[in-house]
Every structure is written in structure tokens, then in C-alpha cells.
Amino acid sequence: MDVLKQNKLLFKLIIFLVLMNVAIVVFLVVPKPPEQFDGRRPDRNINEIFGVLKDELQLTPKQIEQLKALREDFFMKESKLRKIIKSQRDSMNELMFNAQTDTVLVKSIAKRVSDNEYNMEILRFEQAKTLKTICTPDQMKKFESLVIDIRDYFKPRKK
């Protein structure tokens, strides 16, 4: 009789361990939905930045609206460029690791990627030029001291 009770206990323990293993495998295997990324840092609040800029630079409501429009325009253009660059890099990776690598084509795509990275930097420069037309010279002087703080604010957080 004692042996029968031990067998039942072992049987229940084995069933429990099998179920735990199945649960762990399902948890590890089931893919997580991809996060949507539109070029903005989701863990940072841009309205907080606009609040700081408004207070520190004494921006008018018109200037705030112009800055918001400038930011939206920049991110739309930047997002398009990011997608193009990503697509080009994906194509380049496929070609680089292909059995028959076309070196000329890979270098051509690499050149287009670098050209689009250059266009991204030009976008940033154009955004800065437009910002200078929105703000007064005194506001731009104050803004210069805030640039590093804003950059640091938008750095990705280490997890």
C-alpha cells in the first residue's frame, strides 16, 4: 500500500513538472508583438521639453506652435529617411551574405546608405536654421545653454 501512495505522489510530481516545462517553453517560444517605433522616444515626453523651452526662453504661443510644426515636419521627413536607410541596409545585408556576392552592387548600396545618412544630417541642420528664424537672438543665446541638456534628456535610458 505504501508503494502505491509513493507511485501516486511521483506520478503527480511528474505531471506537475511536465506542465511547468510546457509553460516555460510556450513563454519562451511565443513571439512578442513588435514595438511600434515612429522615430520618437516613447519614454520621453516632448510636452515636458516644450514646457521647459517655453519657461526658459519665454516663448510666445505662436513660437510654440511654430516649434511643434517644425518638429512634426522634421520627424515625418526623418521617419521616411530611416525607413529608406533600413531597407537599403537590409538589401545590402542580403547581398553581402549571399553565396554569389556582387561587390559592385553592395558598394553602390553602401554609398546610397551613406548619402541618406548625410541627408539626415542636412535635415537636422535645416531644422536648426528654421529654429533660428523662429526664436529671437536672446532666445537663441539661452537655447545654446539648453542644447546639451535636451540632448542628454533624449538619450536612450540604460535598462
Side-chain angles (χ1 to χ4, degrees):
M1 184 91 170
D2 194 31
V3 173
L4 193 56
K5 282 186 181 179
Q6 282 182 340
N7 285 342
K8 282 183 182 180
L9 180 63
L10 286 175
F11 181 73
K12 288 179 182 178
L13 186 61
I14 290 172
I15 294 297
F16 175 74
L17 291 173
V18 167
L19 290 175
M20 287 293 289
N21 283 336
V22 169
I24 290 171
V25 167
V26 167
F27 177 74
L28 293 175
V29 171
V30 173
K32 297 174 185 167
E35 293 181 15
Q36 296 296 324
F37 183 68
D38 63 355
R40 301 168 195 196
R41 305 266 187 248
D43 59 343
R44 303 297 186 172
N45 186 351
I46 192 65
N47 290 327
E48 193 176 318
I49 289 291
F50 279 120
V52 169
L53 290 177
K54 179 183 178 186
D55 294 341
E56 293 291 323
L57 305 179
Q58 287 104 27
L59 296 174
T60 66
K62 181 181 177 188
Q63 286 176 315
I64 291 172
E65 288 306 313
Q66 289 174 320
L67 285 177
K68 285 182 179 180
L70 175 64
R71 181 182 172 275
E72 276 303 311
D73 181 56
F74 171 78
F75 276 114
M76 286 179 61
K77 290 176 182 176
E78 183 188 43
S79 177
K80 288 177 186 175
L81 267 176
R82 281 185 193 275
K83 287 177 184 175
I84 290 169
I85 291 168
K86 183 183 180 322
S87 172
Q88 289 171 336
R89 284 190 174 140
D90 289 345
S91 297
M92 192 170 73
N93 283 333
E94 285 179 28
L95 289 171
M96 284 189 304
F97 298 104
N98 194 349
Q100 302 295 322
T101 303
D102 183 349
T103 306
V104 174
L105 184 56
V106 170
K107 287 182 179 182
S108 169
I109 294 172
K111 174 74 170 117
R112 283 185 277 163
V113 168
S114 68
D115 289 345
N116 282 320
E117 289 285 353
Y118 171 78
N119 290 337
M120 187 81 76
E121 295 306 317
I122 294 301
L123 263 181
R124 288 186 180 102
F125 175 65
E126 293 297 325
Q127 180 186 32
K129 279 181 24 182
T130 305
L131 177 68
K132 288 178 184 180
T133 65
I134 294 172
C135 296
T136 65
D138 288 338
Q139 289 172 329
M140 284 308 299
K141 255 188 178 176
K142 290 178 186 176
F143 186 77
E144 282 180 41
S145 66
L146 294 174
V147 169
I148 300 298
D149 293 335
I150 292 170
R151 182 208 61 197
D152 290 345
Y153 181 81
F154 280 104
K155 276 186 182 177
R157 293 179 180 168
K158 292 184 180 180
K159 293 183 178 180

